[in-house]
């Protein structure tokens, strides 16, 4: 469930001020609406993948309100929202109805009271009192602007260049999710041959993963497991080495994970990743940093721990994962290395990786110190 940031807000529906100009409609409006309806997404339920992107956009831009807004013929409808109670508003009062007029630019309204298009808008003069708006158009594969990823504030604002770039990047992720969702639905409806379906779905999933690479570099949280990601681990290791205190690094790999994906599908594989992440989070109990290192590999930075103490904790963790069975039973192999004088991050990672290699080739489901 997506929680509102700050005070709860809702749009009050009231007649449009006759002085307020109505948003123009794009020249390709008929084709644009056809493209929007082809996605079959209007009035569907909440989906965490869209909710997460709105949450990240609002956090990066420091805004109390944000939404994935889709502009229909007479309304704007929110697929995901934060800081807003309403699921839709009239198109006449929608900032996003203006944003779609230029599919290639982020529309920024620094102060709605100083903008002829919005100064008499009831969502500016009344509740929720929007003063700042930034919206990045959601553009489909045919160049149709379906809506926007937007953030809003009660005070006049501006975006820093990195925030504008991040909003643009996130809008591309939303567009990719919309396309993946549309293609997945079409494939399910038209499925005739299993191999063809799996090939198409895999191709679009791979494309989405590539597009998400830029996003994952901008934030330090893994979207699936909600653990710190590889970038966050690198920063933590650099800091720990600079402080000069003893610590250990454990690299953990889920045994036979490819078999899980090949046998049960990627959805089941994701469940396993989340299950293992939850066990790591619970078992570490806030001691050190647990992160998703990539794929089916995780890492655990154990501060102020000698090799024997770290090994015991990793053994406990290994057993905890083996006994967890929410999705399906799995085991992990662990490679452990202790910081040495003059270590670089690369040196430490290399020793831990060699230990992990030894654990996997020694029979798996074990801890090996390097």
């Amino acid at each position: 469930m997506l929680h509102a940031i700050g005070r709860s807000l809702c749009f009050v529906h009231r007649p449009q001020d006759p002085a307020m100009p109505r948003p123009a409609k794009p020249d390709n409006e008929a084709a644009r609406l056809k493209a929007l309806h082809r996605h079959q997404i209007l009035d569907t339920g909440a989906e965490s993948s869209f909710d997460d992107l709105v949450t990240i956009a609002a956090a990066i831009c420091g805004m109390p309100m944000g939404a994935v807004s889709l502009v229909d013929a007479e309304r704007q409808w929110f697929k995901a929202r934060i800081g807003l109670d309403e699921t839709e508003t009239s198109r006449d009062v929608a900032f996003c109805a203006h944003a779609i007029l230029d599919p290639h630019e982020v529309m920024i309204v620094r102060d709605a009271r100083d903008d002829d298009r919005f100064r008499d808008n009831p969502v500016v003069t009344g509740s929720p009192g929007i003063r700042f708006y930034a919206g990045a158009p959601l553009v489909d594969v045919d160049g149709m602007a379906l809506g926007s990823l937007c953030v809003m504030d009660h005070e006049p604002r501006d975006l820093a260049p990195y925030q504008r770039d991040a909003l643009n990047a996130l809008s591309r992720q939303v567009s990719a999710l919309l396309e993946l969702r549309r293609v997945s639905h079409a494939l399910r409806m038209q499925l005739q041959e299993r191999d063809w379906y799996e090939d198409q779905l895999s191709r679009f999933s791979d494309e989405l993963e590539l597009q998400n690479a830029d996003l994952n570099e901008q934030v330090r949280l893994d979207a699936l497991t909600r653990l710190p990601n590889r970038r966050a681990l690198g920063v933590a290791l650099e800091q720990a080495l600079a402080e000069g205190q003893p610590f250990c690094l454990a690299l953990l790999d889920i045994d036979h994970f490819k078999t899980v994906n090949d046998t049960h599908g990627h959805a089941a594989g994701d469940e396993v990743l989340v299950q293992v992440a939850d066990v790591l989070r619970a078992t570490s109990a806030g001691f050190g940093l647990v992160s998703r290192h990539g794929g089916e590999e995780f890492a655990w930075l154990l501060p102020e721990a000698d090799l024997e103490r770290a090994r015991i904790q990793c053994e406990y963790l290994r057993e905890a994962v083996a006994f967890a069975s929410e999705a399906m039973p799995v085991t992990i192999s662990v490679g452990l290395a202790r910081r040495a004088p003059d270590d670089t991050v690369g040196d430490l990672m290399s020793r831990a990786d060699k230990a992990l290699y030894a654990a996997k080739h020694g029979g798996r489901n074990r801890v090996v110190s390097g």
Side-chain angles (χ1 to χ4, degrees), residues 1-31:
M1 179 67 66
L2 190 62
H3 298 287
I5 291 180
R7 57 193 178 96
S8 178
L9 303 166
C10 69
F11 289 103
V12 178
H13 294 286
R14 48 181 171 269
Q16 176 187 333
D17 190 315
M20 187 187 81
R22 294 177 181 271
K25 293 188 176 181
D27 294 337
N28 62 352
E29 177 68 358

Side-chain angles (χ1 to χ4, degrees), residues 204-223:
F204 279 97
S205 296
D206 289 344
E207 290 176 1
L208 180 60
E209 184 176 349
L210 288 174
Q211 293 173 21
N212 277 336
D214 287 341
L215 173 62
N216 290 334
E217 284 300 312
Q218 293 182 47
V219 296
R220 296 181 181 179
L221 195 67
D222 177 60

